[in-house]
Amino acid sequence: MTANAPDDDAQAGDTPPPSVVVLCNAAPFREGLAHAFGQASADTDPAALADRLAAERGWAISRTNIYHSSDARLDEDHRKWVERLKDTQSTLVTQPGDIRVRMALDGMRALRERQADILLVMGGDTSFMALAQDTRTAAREQKRTIKFASAFAPSSHPLGQTIPSADHSITIDRDMADKCLMPASATAPSRRIYAGRSIDTTSPAAATPQAPAPRRARPRLMPAIYGTGLIASMMALMWEDVVASGGADALDWSAERWSVSTLLALGKSVVWPLYWLARAFGIDAGGA
């Protein structure tokens, strides 16, 4: 099928347009565009490009998954590009290992659950020939039309060729890639998946700020020890003062005398660890 010809499946009367699930392997996608059109084209937004390719053919994008291996060593440009993917109309899937395995599994699940009439692979290679065959098998078993499409930027690079046995071979040209370049800062909402865990940032519930959970105050050990020691030291020193004054005679102390005793005990107890350590070693610490 030619690259820019409308899909026959989209022309049948009032039937809804074919539903497309896009699977994009991030690193090969960028590499293929850079080799075909120059490094600047590597900043193309896969989701925007898929939307344009689908619109030209009368298809409807139902989901765009962009896959990135967390094992890959990224240069600064690629790292920034991946960060900006989180703010595009797409699902970013990041996990360790060979990301192509995850892509194939997600594609097979979309076929099994009847989520796609067309599987569109971007940044694919010959390893996806098996997925193309699975697409035909699913079409026979489900008795419906399911197609496998491969989008590529033509060049002498191995990634500049269509996936063999694809039903639709879609050529990406420079003009279309340039129209889909990422802005310096994207603002569209996104849906992200990390190692199989999905976080939907487009739903109203996710957009509503949640009140932080109340946090129980934790006792601080050192202040508690110091405060307890301070009170105990003051009580001990005041008791020594009472005993030294004859015990019962302390009952006749005036308020001023009690104040003096309390202040002296407080003054010595401010540094109570040093004070009582000095007394333990028989050093004159100004006892009561």
Side-chain angles (χ1 to χ4, degrees):
M1 181 174 182
T2 59
N4 296 315
D7 183 19
D8 294 338
D9 300 332
Q11 307 299 319
D14 296 330
T15 58
S19 177
V20 182
V21 171
V22 180
L23 309 174
C24 176
N25 194 352
F29 171 78
R30 297 190 78 232
E31 186 178 353
L33 287 174
H35 193 276
F37 309 131
Q39 189 59 41
S41 295
D43 285 338
T44 297
D45 179 356
L49 180 60
D51 286 342
R52 284 183 174 271
L53 294 175
E56 286 186 351
R57 292 158 179 80
W59 299 345
I61 300 289
S62 63
R63 184 170 74 252
T64 299
N65 287 2
I66 304 175
Y67 297 83
H68 165 65
S69 174
S70 58
D71 293 340
R73 291 189 175 183
L74 306 181
D75 57 36
E76 187 65 15
D77 288 341
H78 192 96
R79 185 189 64 78
K80 291 180 179 179
W81 184 82
V82 170
E83 285 299 315
R84 281 185 286 171
L85 283 177
K86 299 174 183 178
D87 297 317
T88 62
Q89 294 281 8
S90 60
T91 300
L92 178 61
V93 183
T94 301
Q95 70 175 44
D98 190 345
I99 203 68
R100 294 174 299 180
V101 176
R102 175 64 184 274
M103 291 176 65
L105 291 174
D106 286 352
M108 293 173 64
R109 182 169 63 249
L111 295 173
R112 184 174 61 252
E113 297 177 358
R114 298 174 178 262
Q115 298 175 353
D117 300 313
I118 298 173
L119 281 183
L120 172 57
V121 174
M122 304 167 68
D125 54 25
T126 55
S127 64
F128 288 94
M129 292 176 62
L131 183 58
Q133 183 58 46
D134 290 336
T135 302
R136 297 185 181 90
T137 301
R140 288 195 302 270
E141 292 176 349
Q142 299 176 17
K143 295 181 173 58
R144 65 189 185 96
T145 301
I146 312 175
K147 301 293 185 180
F148 182 87
S150 171
F152 64 100
S155 70
S156 59
H157 194 280
L159 294 171
Q161 303 174 27
T162 187
I163 298 173
S165 72
D167 298 305
H168 300 297
S169 295
I170 303 174
T171 301
I172 302 170
D173 58 45
R174 180 191 293 270
D175 181 62
M176 179 170 289
D178 289 345
K179 290 178 180 178
C180 299
L181 289 174
M182 284 186 177
S185 59
T187 57
S190 66
R191 179 179 177 87
R192 311 173 193 176
I193 297 180
Y194 295 96
R197 181 172 59 88
S198 173
I199 303 175
D200 190 353
T201 59
T202 62
S203 65
T208 304
Q210 302 295 323
R215 300 180 63 182
R216 184 185 304 174
R218 296 182 179 179
R220 296 184 178 181
L221 183 60
M222 293 307 297
I225 292 175
Y226 180 83
T228 302
L230 177 66
I231 295 173
S233 177
M234 288 182 61
M235 293 178 64
L237 290 172
M238 291 180 68
W239 178 252
E240 287 183 354
D241 196 10
V242 169
V243 171
S245 299
D249 294 341
L251 297 176
D252 298 328
W253 283 0
S254 64
E256 290 79 6
R257 179 67 180 84
W258 277 110
S259 297
V260 170
S261 179
T262 302
L263 290 175
L264 287 173
L266 176 61
K268 296 173 183 178
S269 298
V270 167
V271 288
W272 64 265
L274 297 178
Y275 175 82
W276 291 102
L277 184 63
R279 287 188 59 172
F281 282 95
I283 301 173
D284 183 8

